[in-house]
Amino acid sequence: MTAIESFTGDANPYGGGDPYADYRTADFPFTRYADLAGRQLGAGVVAANDEFFAQRENLLTPGPAEFDPEHFGHKGKVMDGWETRRRRGASADHPWPTAEDHDWALVRLGAPGVIRGIVVDTAHFRGNYPQAVSVEGASVPGSPSPEELLGDHVKWTTLVPRTPVGGHAANGFPVSVEQRFTHLRVNQHPDGGIARLRVHGEVVPDPGWLTALGTFDVVALENGGRAEDASNLFYSPASNTIQPGRSRKMDDGWETRRRRDRGNDWIRYRLAAQARIRALEIDTAYLKGNSAGWASVSVKDGENGEWTEILPRTRLQPDTDHRFVLPAPAVGTHARVDIYPDGGISRLRLFGSLTEAGTAALTARHQELGG
């Protein structure tokens, strides 16, 4: 089931030099979806049965795992991941763990949604990675405690069955369960270490919450918006532009390579649902010598609708938040930002409210997915 085509199991011992030189990965199509377990969205590892060697919180750290071959602590080698102690059997006659023995961690997704794929990354875990992993999902409203999540009343659905994984590798698993999840239970059999966990999928917001808000950012990732496509992703993903909060550094936005033609770059978005847009922001925070020179914004209503410009081509300033009030509300289900000729923006915000049709469609999808 692993997506690594030439799966080889064990990783070789670290031989010095670049620690990622023999790292194994593959092209996982589902990674075009946002990471629902991103810390920036508010995800967290709320509990684990054991984290003797390395803390559970490392699982969701942004960026690849780091490795220092000479870094040791009082409990042994310091690893950038979640690592449990070695399991043992019940007696000298039976020193091996049972087939059922395993370690687990509970993960609260940053935004509830439908999961399209999971990456269990064992980077730098060469002789201490788990033999197999499995992942389960649950949908629990509110803010449940670890004790409540472990209660008998919670229904867990298998997303990744118990599957062997390779060491020092990105192990990818497509998920085909059409259901809205809020929490995951990650199991490693029987013990070992995992460097990173990525959970790619589509946000499915609570329509009741959005209705109560009234006016909100209808393209924001946490509200169900999505970056569907972009002209160029050379330096950073387009989905950065709809992440929560302001950009905190240059690579926290969207930046394209330098153009040497007469074209321009763009991102196309799907809104949370059909919405009536009244105002917008284009932020170029931390993009100083490489911000877009000009930008325009258009919307369309429905997959086959015509694009209508709601912000004409407008001069942008570097490292600046630009705000625009529309002369009249614009109704649409999709949006597009065009930048000229290249460069980048850090955030796009489209402020408005759902139409009656948008609320109805979002409510129906929420119910269909078990929300």
Side-chain angles (χ1 to χ4, degrees), residues 287-342:
L287 294 162
K288 299 179 179 180
N290 50 355
S291 67
W294 293 263
S296 64
V297 179
S298 303
V299 300
K300 71 173 183 177
D301 192 19
E303 293 289 347
N304 300 318
E306 296 290 331
W307 287 105
T308 301
E309 193 172 69
I310 62 173
L311 179 73
R313 193 179 305 187
T314 302
R315 187 75 169 94
L316 299 182
Q317 299 300 320
D319 195 29
T320 301
D321 190 15
H322 309 77
R323 294 181 174 179
F324 307 94
V325 176
L326 301 184
V331 174
T333 57
H334 295 73
R336 172 176 166 139
V337 59
D338 284 85
I339 63 171
Y340 303 87
D342 56 22

Side-chain angles (χ1 to χ4, degrees), residues 50-53 75 83-87 103 190-192:
D50 186 288
E51 47 187 328
F52 185 86
F53 286 115
K75 293 183 178 180
E83 185 182 3
T84 65
R85 73 190 76 201
R86 299 187 188 216
R87 282 185 170 269
D103 293 318
D191 54 37

Side-chain angles (χ1 to χ4, degrees), residues 32-46:
R32 64 189 177 91
Y33 295 98
D35 182 8
L36 303 184
R39 282 293 295 162
Q40 198 167 358
L41 274 178
V45 187
V46 299

Side-chain angles (χ1 to χ4, degrees), residues 255-287:
E255 182 188 358
T256 70
R257 71 175 75 201
R258 300 188 188 211
R259 275 190 173 267
R260 303 307 187 198
D261 58 21
R262 296 292 180 177
N264 74 284
D265 289 315
W266 51 266
I267 305 174
R268 186 181 74 242
Y269 303 91
R270 184 188 67 194
L271 308 184
Q274 188 190 63
R276 188 172 287 106
I277 302 166
R278 301 182 181 86
L280 62 91
E281 288 185 28
I282 300 176
D283 195 352
T284 58
Y286 291 97
L287 294 162

Side-chain angles (χ1 to χ4, degrees), residues 141-152:
S143 304
S145 67
E147 292 75 19
E148 290 170 324
L149 289 171
L150 295 171
D152 294 336

